[in-house]
Amino acid sequence: MSENTGKTPVDFWFDPLCPWAWMASRWLLEVEKVRDVEVRWHVMSLAVLNEDKLDQLPEDYRDMLANEAWGPVRVVIAAQQKHGEEITGKLYTALGTRIHNRGEGLTREAVVGALEDVGLPADLADHMDSDAYDTELRASHKEGIDKVGQEVGTPVIAVPGADGEQVAFFGPVVTPAPKGEAAARLWDGTLLVASTPGFYEIKRTRTQGPIFD
């Protein structure tokens, strides 16, 4: 339990550009309504994750990682460093709503709009093209990856295991984001598998893309 709130902590690593992380994050916000849970938000970066294997990726995805992926996550880490960790989740929600739900994409206009939505200065968008906080970004990314291992993407979720130590997984990959009691059941199942020693993976082929609502 969190010493400050008495709630069960769950750590969540996201890259704002990933639609599957966005789905999972909306699920966790639902879980906060129906279970005594506190989400702690952290950034990771698909650009960092893939920087050593760009030549193995499809050209369009490679170009996106090289040219667009750095911007939003750099802005989030800059906002966090300048305005405190409590802004992280709020800014992620504003960014994700514009990038995914409204289809504004990974544009400067979407980033500036998201900053304004949460009352942050628009000039934080200048960090889209700045490596000023890349050390902090890489440290946050490494913290999540060190918990779950290398052969994953975003999101990464870390929850209490059987002995109280955190267990981390890639996922969940789910669409649309469950709500109400359905969200609670998925959370309960996540804790159940995390409490099972030696449990690593359940997987099936995706047959549907992310559904934004």
Side-chain angles (χ1 to χ4, degrees):
M1 305 291 283
S2 170
E3 294 181 1
N4 296 328
T5 66
K7 297 181 178 182
T8 301
V10 50
D11 289 284
F12 186 87
W13 280 264
F14 65 90
D15 186 319
L17 69 85
C18 178
W20 297 108
W22 179 242
M23 292 285 93
S25 72
R26 301 310 92 183
W27 159 65
L28 278 179
L29 289 181
E30 284 290 313
V31 173
E32 283 192 321
K33 300 175 185 177
V34 293
R35 292 290 186 268
D36 210 16
V37 167
E38 177 185 35
V39 183
R40 302 184 298 202
W41 305 96
H42 311 271
V43 292
M44 62 182 296
S45 168
L46 289 173
V48 172
L49 184 69
N50 291 287
E51 63 185 349
D52 294 330
K53 50 188 176 184
L54 288 176
D55 59 346
Q56 304 170 32
L57 301 175
E59 183 177 0
D60 56 345
Y61 188 53
R62 182 172 67 244
D63 290 345
M64 186 273 293
L65 291 176
N67 299 317
E68 299 178 280
W70 287 97
V73 76
R74 278 174 164 167
V75 171
V76 175
I77 199 71
Q80 183 186 87
Q81 294 299 308
K82 291 185 173 186
H83 297 275
E85 291 188 359
E86 66 278 0
I87 200 63
T88 310
K90 297 175 184 178
L91 181 54
Y92 178 36
T93 288
L95 281 168
T97 298
R98 287 179 173 274
I99 292 170
H100 302 296
N101 292 47
R102 299 184 188 176
E104 296 179 20
L106 304 175
T107 63
R108 184 181 178 89
E109 290 75 17
V111 171
V112 169
L115 291 167
E116 293 175 346
D117 290 342
V118 296
L120 290 175
D123 62 7
L124 275 171
D126 294 341
H127 286 277
M128 294 181 74
D129 302 310
S130 169
D131 62 1
Y133 292 105
D134 279 9
T135 298
E136 291 80 2
L137 171 59
R138 289 178 181 276
S140 180
H141 175 90
K142 183 177 185 298
E143 182 185 11
I145 290 297
D146 283 352
K147 289 179 179 291
V148 74
Q150 293 294 323
E151 298 304 316
V152 299
T154 177
V156 168
I157 184 174
V159 302
D163 57 1
E165 294 294 321
Q166 279 195 324
V167 176
F169 298 108
F170 161 64
V173 175
V174 60
T175 189
K179 294 179 172 59
E181 188 56 29
R185 288 196 299 271
L186 179 55
W187 169 252
D188 294 343
T190 301
L191 292 182
L192 177 63
V193 297
S195 68
T196 303
F199 175 85
Y200 292 103
E201 184 176 11
I202 293 176
K203 191 171 184 179
R204 63 174 176 164
T205 299
R206 299 177 203 166
T207 58
Q208 190 173 43
I211 299 171
F212 307 120
D213 55 14

